[in-house]
């Protein structure tokens, strides 16, 4: 079942347009720009006037006269130059709410043709702690994964681990410089390996010879050197374990834990296909593919460097082939920093030239940077890179300040509180990340992101907990048939009626902020409703039951939407 209100109205309009002999493509409504005048508006009369060579108001009146006969409409009027304003009957809205309340999908539509969508997010690298950039990728990607699933697509998420390339050679070289050999390699944990990598980074910046050594080791390792491969396996394992811990805490799920290394074999195939198609050029020791000189010329793609190593680009091209061949992807979506836009443009164009992903939609959803108050990339207090674990810790400390202490007085055990603090802290970080347009960067609101008031995660979680408490207090009042008796109930119901459209738009635009905006507005609409429309103190039992039903429905939708954003909804939210 789908309960998409505007589609229902469109159908009615269409019928009237057909009866009048008007082109029904103009028979569409949108939410009214003037909610004080109407619920929906149709601007079709203006376009029709030109075709019919009539006054738009005259056309509007003709439509309005017929439409007014419909039992679902309380009022149809023509305003201004020819806008058609439509107001629904309260009974119609109430009946729709009953339908939505009965439906486990809350009347949300599904996509007409389900697609297999491979989703590439996370993208952490070996031996590096995850920073806020990896946070954004994981948070946005996970939310979109849940949304795709909800609308009926088949998402497959892949972490695309950065486990190949020069960093490996750099770490190995650094360990050899320190120990003389790789014998102790397997005793090193993630912190030690990260420290080696940091040192190697500094050394390679200053010293050309060290850089050359790392490069040679990388090439030998990629060529399958047994000792290097053994060491690499260890580095990869401890890195993946650390990353898994982080993502687990964040509630970010991956179906596949593949990495750049898994694409290595296919890179040879890519080179071969390029060669067969006459696209491969040998240039200055490297194998490259030139891209078309469009109006925005792009640099050529380097497939294989002069030392025989495949590039980041080659790996991504090969990975696309695997995702198409093995996973049967209809669509591949990358949630990666928008500073990598050129990389993806080059990769997608090369894939097109090679013909390895016919009819597959390739999409890069580029996101902006997380900044500090100074507008520069978000740093720790002492100016270092903000790691994900630091950020979670900081958020937890902040949330803990507004929670009560464990013990008899609060009625919470330390364990329960820790779990709550984690749910709220992670929710706060995620909501802050998802509340802005993805492409734009945002300033991390250190003082406000974990507030229980304002457009924050905790505010929405608190709204859910509050409805839970309302329902507990009114447990004897069973949710019943919905009736609309005042403006606040009406506003809340009309907000709920928008849900399906909101979710579908969010999926189409791959933009979770559409949901975060909506969930905030819905929580606010509930607040106004609750402040004016008592449940226990309602005029009669029917109205009380209706309000209980509206409260429950709102709560269930808020929980579902938080889930789609990747945020948990605690049953209770105690305050200090
Ligand atoms: N590991 C990369 C980085 O840290 C991100 C990977 C993004 N995904 C991809 N398929 N290129 O920059």
């Amino acid at each position: 079942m789908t309960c998409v209100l505007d589609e229902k109205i469109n159908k009615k309009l269409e019928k009237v347009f057909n009866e009048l002999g008007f082109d029904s493509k103009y028979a569409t409504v949108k939410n009214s720009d003037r909610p004080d005048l109407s619920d929906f508006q149709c601007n079709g009369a203006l376009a029709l006037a030109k075709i019919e060579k009539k006054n738009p108001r005259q056309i509007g009146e003709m439509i309005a006269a017929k439409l007014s006969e419909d039992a679902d409409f309380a009022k149809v009027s023509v305003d201004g130059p020819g806008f058609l304003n439509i107001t629904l009957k309260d009974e119609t809205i109430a009946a729709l709410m009953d339908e939505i309340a009965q439906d486990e999908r809350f009347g949300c539509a599904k996509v007409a043709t389900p697609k297999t969508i491979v989703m590439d997010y996370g993208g952490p690298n070996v031996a590096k702690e995850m920073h806020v950039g990896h946070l954004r990728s994981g948070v946005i990607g996970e939310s979109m994964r849940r949304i795709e699933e909800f609308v009926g697509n088949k998402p497959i998420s892949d972490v695309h681990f950065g486990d190949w390339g020069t960093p490996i050679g750099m770490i190995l070289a650094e360990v050899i410089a320190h120990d003389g050999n790789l014998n102790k390699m397997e005793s090193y944990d993630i912190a030690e390996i990260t420290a080696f990598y940091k040192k190697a980074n500094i050394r390679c910046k200053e010293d050309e010879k060290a850089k050359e050594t790392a490069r040679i080791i990388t090439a030998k390792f990629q060529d399958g050197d047994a000792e290097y491969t053994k060491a690499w396996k260890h580095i990869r394992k401890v890195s993946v374990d650390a990353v898994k811990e982080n993502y687990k805490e964040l509630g970010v799920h991956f179906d596949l834990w593949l990495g750049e290394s898994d694409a290595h074999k296919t890179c040879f195939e890519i080179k071969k296909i390029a060669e067969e198609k006459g696209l491969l050029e040998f240039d200055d020791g490297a194998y490259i593919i030139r891209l078309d000189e469009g109006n925005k010329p792009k640099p050529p793609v380097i497939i294989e460097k002069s030392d025989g190593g495949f590039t980041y680009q080659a790996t991504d091209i090969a990975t696309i082939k695997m995702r198409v061949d093995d996973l049967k992807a209809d669509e591949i979506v990358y949630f990666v920093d928008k500073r990598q836009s050129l990389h993806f443009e080059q990769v997608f164009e090369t894939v097109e030239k090679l013909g390895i992903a016919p009819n597959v939609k390739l999409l890069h959803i580029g996101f902006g940077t997380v900044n500090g108050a100074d507008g520069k990339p978000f740093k720790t207090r002492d100016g270092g890179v903000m790691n994900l674990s630091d950020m979670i810790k900081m958020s937890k400390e902040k949330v803990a300040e507004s929670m009560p202490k464990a013990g008899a007085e609060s009625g919470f055990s330390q364990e329960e509180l820790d779990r709550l603090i984690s749910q709220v802290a992670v929710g706060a970080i995620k909501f802050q990340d998802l509340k802005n347009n993805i492409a734009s960067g945002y300033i991390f609101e250190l003082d406000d992101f974990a507030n229980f008031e304002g457009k924050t995660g905790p505010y929405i979680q608190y709204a859910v907990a509050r409805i839970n408490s309302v329902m507990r207090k009114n447990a004897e009042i069973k949710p019943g048939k919905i009736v609309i008796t005042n403006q606040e109930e009406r506003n809340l119901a009309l907000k709920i009626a928008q849900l399906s459209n909101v979710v579908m738009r969010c999926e189409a635009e791959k933009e979770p902020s559409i949901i975060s905006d909506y969930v905030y507005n819905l929580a606010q609409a509930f607040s106004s409703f609750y402040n004016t429309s008592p449940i226990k103190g309602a005029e009669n039992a029917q109205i009380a039951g209706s309000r209980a039903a509206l409260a429950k429905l709102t709560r269930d939708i808020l929980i579902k939407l938080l889930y789609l954003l990747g945020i948990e909804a605690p049953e209770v939210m105690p305050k200090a």
Side-chain angles (χ1 to χ4, degrees), residues 120 123-125 134 160 162 260 312 316 323 334 336 340 343-344:
D120 183 310
N125 304 306
H134 295 120
H160 199 70
E260 293 178 9
Y312 178 48
D316 262 327
R323 287 171 177 172
Y334 297 84
V336 182
Q340 293 197 28
H343 165 78
F344 286 106

Side-chain angles (χ1 to χ4, degrees), residues 8 12 37 66 69 98-99 108 156 219 221 249 328 464 503 509 547:
K8 284 192 177 172
K12 292 175 189 280
L37 281 185
K66 276 197 170 285
E69 293 164 13
D98 284 332
E99 271 183 62
C108 285
I156 303 176
F221 147 69
E249 171 128 53
K328 309 280 176 254
V464 173
V503 175
E509 295 179 26
R547 287 178 183 165

Side-chain angles (χ1 to χ4, degrees), residues 249-353:
E249 171 128 53
L250 275 180
V252 174
H253 166 81
F254 294 98
D255 297 304
L256 298 173
W257 280 86
L258 296 174
E260 293 178 9
S261 63
D262 293 289
H264 186 60
K265 275 204 195 90
T266 313
C267 284
F268 290 99
E269 270 179 68
I270 295 299
K271 192 179 157 195
K272 203 166 141 244
I273 297 171
E275 202 162 12
E276 283 164 4
K277 294 216 167 210
L279 294 169
L280 200 68
E281 278 182 47
F282 192 62
D283 185 78
D284 204 14
Y287 286 100
I288 64 163
I289 296 177
R290 280 190 209 283
L291 300 175
D292 294 331
E293 296 279 329
N295 36 10
K296 197 178 142 209
K298 293 176 210 79
V301 168
I302 301 173
I303 297 289
E304 195 181 314
K305 291 177 288 181
S306 52
D307 61 15
F310 289 118
T311 57
Y312 178 48
Q313 289 172 321
T315 313
D316 262 327
I317 296 167
T319 305
I320 290 179
K321 184 168 177 4
M322 295 163 71
R323 287 171 177 172
V324 173
D325 295 350
D326 307 342
L327 304 175
K328 309 280 176 254
D330 298 310
E331 202 172 303
I332 306 176
V333 193
Y334 297 84
F335 299 89
V336 182
D337 194 315
K338 70 175 175 199
R339 284 171 294 186
Q340 293 197 28
S341 292
L342 178 62
H343 165 78
F344 286 106
E345 281 170 33
Q346 289 177 296
V347 165
F348 296 169
E349 196 177 322
T350 311
V351 165
E352 164 104 46
K353 278 170 144 328

Side-chain angles (χ1 to χ4, degrees), residues 114-128:
K115 284 179 294 194
T116 298
I117 306 180
V118 174
M119 310 182 74
D120 183 310
Y121 54 81
N125 304 306
V126 286
K128 268 201 246 175

